[in-house]
């Protein structure tokens, strides 16, 4: 199945991709569509403001591409217009080393016995950050008493996250391709690998340490021949079974863009597709859909999922236990989970909403009807970082 544009319908870990017309109509969906009966639940405790009745400022550390930066600026502005008790200081951290540096600071502060840290809210990485929390108990336990709008989410999503992080949005990795050059895209992983070999230089994926679409391509290859449950296994012993996957990735390297050049970040491969330097890439659904809609990618660009599906996943919010402004952070998260803010996630960056579609504005629900497409979530813990290091040595460094 291939599509030009997509909408997303959340139900457990299934989502919906809709037609082109759904997305061209999205421009008419206003931010206020989440009002009325579906408005955000009010925070149950009123301690978000500073003790003297003034304003509390929270520092929110996050990473992501340009579209994510623009989303957070937009949501911050909407939130601050609605109330005068909490201000949000946005602190952008580059993907990769920047994220790790922030987590290292949180871990170091915890181990030093510090009582406070200037990170009040953090957009957590699903692998290494959750593993670090599991080891050192870095993040607050979250529930509906602290964040009432958690009751709008599928309970399984919070359970999967150990109630330590809030999956506020999701997206999946798909194949983005130029249909003028690729009239019939691959439908399976084996067909994709065969296509790459038969069209040397016309496929690219980004350095997996710099963006999730490249990481998904690598992880999908490593676990291709392993049991499905292996992708949720954090036991280091499974690394011994990665050999065939790395051999596969090495065999593909000579047929990659410029015989093994791996662009930086998710946007790097999208730029190659936009410029016609390659014909097919793995790409995050939200980024690709946004850039198609803004005509930053050719009109001939289409998207398709393969079987087994590429991995995907959510964006996660966590509150460090050392934050001195937890109540204010909870209040902002509560707003982010409101139907109004979740509609902005869909409208602005074409993400899957973090709350269930039954709570979303009726106008959006009507537009998002189509064909169900699944992605595979994964939980590798520290193994993800190990896989990236090994890729650098065995694939990029060959």
């Amino acid at each position: 199945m291939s599509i030009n544009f997509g909408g997303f319908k959340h139900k457990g870990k299934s989502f919906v991709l809709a037609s082109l017309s759904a997305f061209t109509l999205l421009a008419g969906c206003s931010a206020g569509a989440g009002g009325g009966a579906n408005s955000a639940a009010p925070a149950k405790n009123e301690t978000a403001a500073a003790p003297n009745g003034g304003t509390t400022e929270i520092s929110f550390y996050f990473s992501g591409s340009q579209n994510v930066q623009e989303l957070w600026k937009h949501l911050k502005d909407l939130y601050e217009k609605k109330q005068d008790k909490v201000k949000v200081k946005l602190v952008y951290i580059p993907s990769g080393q920047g994220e790790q540096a922030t987590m290292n600071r949180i871990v170091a502060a915890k181990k030093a016995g510090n009582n406070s840290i200037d990170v009040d809210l953090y957009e957590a990485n699903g692998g290494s950050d959750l593993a670090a929390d599991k080891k050192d108990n870095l993040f607050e336990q979250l529930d509906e008493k602290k964040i009432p709008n958690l009751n709008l989410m599928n309970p399984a999503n919070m359970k999967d996250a150990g109630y330590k992080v809030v999956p506020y949005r999701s997206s999946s990795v798909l194949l983005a391709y130029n249909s003028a050059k690729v009239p019939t895209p691959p439908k399976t992983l084996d067909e994709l690998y065969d296509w790459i070999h038969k069209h040397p230089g016309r496929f690219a994926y980004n350095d997996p340490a710099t963006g999730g679409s490249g990481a998904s391509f690598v992880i999908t290859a490593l676990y291709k021949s392993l049991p499905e449950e292996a992708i949720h296994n954090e036991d280091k012993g499974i690394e011994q079974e990665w050999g065939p996957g790395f051999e596969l990735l090495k065999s593909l390297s000579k047929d990659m863009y410029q015989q093994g050049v791996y662009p930086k970040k998710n946007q790097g491969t999208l730029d190659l597709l936009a410029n016609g330097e390659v014909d097919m890439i793995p790409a995050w659904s939200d980024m690709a859909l946004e850039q198609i809609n803004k005509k930053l990618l050719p009109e001939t660009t289409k998207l398709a999922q393969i079987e087994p599906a590429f991995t995907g996943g959510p964006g996660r919010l966590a509150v460090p236990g050392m934050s001195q402004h937890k109540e204010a952070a909870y209040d902002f998260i509560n707003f982010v989970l409101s139907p109004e803010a979740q509609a902005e996630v869909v409208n602005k960056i074409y993400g899957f909403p973090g709350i269930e579609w039954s709570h979303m504005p009726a106008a959006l629900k009507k537009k998002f009807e189509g064909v169900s497409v699944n992605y595979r979530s994964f939980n590798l813990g520290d193994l993800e970082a190990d896989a990236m290091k090994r890729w650098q040595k065995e694939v990029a460094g060959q």
Side-chain angles (χ1 to χ4, degrees):
M1 183 207 73
S2 62
I3 53 174
N4 279 348
F5 285 84
F8 311 102
K9 182 177 181 182
H10 179 269
K11 184 176 182 182
K13 290 178 179 174
S14 295
F15 302 92
V16 169
L17 295 176
S19 65
L20 168 64
S21 59
F23 272 88
T24 53
L25 287 171
L26 278 179
C29 296
S30 68
N38 281 334
S39 294
K44 291 184 179 179
N45 80 54
E46 300 298 333
T47 59
N52 62 3
T55 299
T56 299
E57 182 178 75
I58 61 172
S59 294
F60 174 27
Y61 283 66
F62 70 99
S63 62
S65 300
Q66 182 66 32
N67 61 339
V68 177
Q69 296 181 52
E70 293 173 357
L71 173 69
W72 282 123
K73 175 63 167 62
H74 180 63
L75 292 179
K76 160 191 158 73
D77 291 344
L78 287 179
Y79 175 65
E80 292 180 352
K81 287 178 182 178
K82 285 182 169 293
Q83 49 77 50
D84 57 6
K85 294 181 179 180
V86 180
K87 296 291 185 182
V88 181
K89 177 184 177 182
L90 298 177
V91 183
Y92 174 73
I93 51 179
S95 299
Q97 293 183 348
E99 293 171 318
Q100 189 59 51
T102 302
M103 276 302 297
N104 289 346
R105 189 153 61 88
I106 295 173
V107 171
K110 177 66 181 290
K111 290 184 175 179
N114 293 353
N115 294 321
S116 66
I117 193 170
D118 70 341
V119 184
D120 300 303
L121 185 61
Y122 175 65
E123 185 158 6
N125 176 282
S128 57
D129 291 351
L130 291 178
D133 171 73
K134 190 174 182 180
K135 181 179 179 181
D136 294 310
N137 192 27
L138 304 171
F139 303 137
E140 284 292 289
Q141 195 84 17
L142 303 174
D143 57 42
E144 293 177 13
K145 291 182 180 179
K146 296 174 180 176
I147 305 171
N149 279 340
L150 287 179
N151 66 13
L152 304 182
M153 300 178 66
N154 184 329
N157 292 348
M158 285 301 294
K159 184 178 180 180
D160 285 346
Y163 302 94
K164 286 298 196 77
V165 296
V166 177
Y168 76 95
R169 66 176 175 91
S170 295
S171 55
S172 65
V173 174
L174 306 169
L175 284 178
Y177 64 98
N178 183 343
S179 62
K181 299 290 184 67
V182 187
T184 305
K187 295 181 180 179
T188 68
L189 279 176
D190 286 335
E191 288 180 9
L192 172 60
Y193 300 146
D194 186 58
W195 188 94
I196 293 170
H197 286 309
K198 290 179 177 178
H199 301 83
R202 305 309 299 172
F203 186 91
Y205 67 93
N206 63 276
D207 180 329
T210 67
S213 60
S216 177
F217 185 88
V218 169
I219 291 169
T220 300
L222 295 184
Y223 286 81
K224 176 180 181 294
S225 300
L226 299 182
E228 183 61 27
E229 60 270 18
I231 210 164
H232 299 281
N233 187 345
E234 299 181 39
D235 186 346
K236 279 187 172 290
I238 203 167
E239 293 186 17
Q240 299 177 13
E241 302 182 50
W242 287 350
F246 277 111
E247 289 301 317
L248 169 63
L249 291 168
K250 285 190 284 187
S251 74
L252 293 172
S253 184
K254 63 180 176 57
D255 293 323
M256 288 291 159
Y257 172 67
Q258 293 188 357
Q259 296 183 322
V261 171
Y262 302 93
K264 301 296 183 183
K265 299 184 177 294
N266 302 305
Q267 187 59 48
T269 45
L270 284 165
D271 289 341
L272 293 181
L273 185 64
N275 295 334
E277 295 185 60
V278 297
D279 300 325
M280 192 186 306
I281 61 170
W284 282 109
S285 54
D286 52 356
M287 292 184 69
L289 290 165
E290 179 187 37
Q291 293 184 37
I292 291 172
N293 197 44
K294 290 182 176 179
K295 301 188 184 304
L296 298 175
L297 288 169
E299 293 182 358
T300 53
T301 303
K302 292 186 178 181
L303 304 177
Q305 187 56 282
I306 58 174
E307 291 295 336
F310 284 123
T311 55
R316 304 169 173 92
L317 299 176
V319 179
M322 290 170 288
S323 166
Q324 296 298 294
H325 307 115
K326 296 184 185 70
E327 302 297 338
Y330 299 153
D331 194 73
F332 181 57
I333 295 174
N334 198 61
F335 167 75
V336 170
L337 293 180
S338 68
E340 174 188 1
Q342 290 287 293
E344 295 304 301
V345 169
V346 177
N347 289 336
K348 294 291 184 182
I349 65 169
Y350 307 97
F352 308 144
I355 66 175
E356 294 195 277
W357 268 95
S358 59
H359 303 294
M360 292 292 284
L364 276 185
K365 286 191 289 185
K366 185 176 181 180
K367 290 179 172 65
F368 286 80
E369 298 173 351
V371 181
S372 177
V373 173
N374 296 326
Y375 72 80
R376 295 187 298 157
S377 63
F378 63 94
N379 182 22
L380 305 182
D382 287 333
L383 300 186
E384 185 178 352
D386 291 349
M388 300 304 103
K389 291 177 183 177
R390 189 168 166 184
W391 180 90
Q392 292 288 348
K393 180 180 179 180
E394 297 188 20
V395 181
Q398 68 174 338

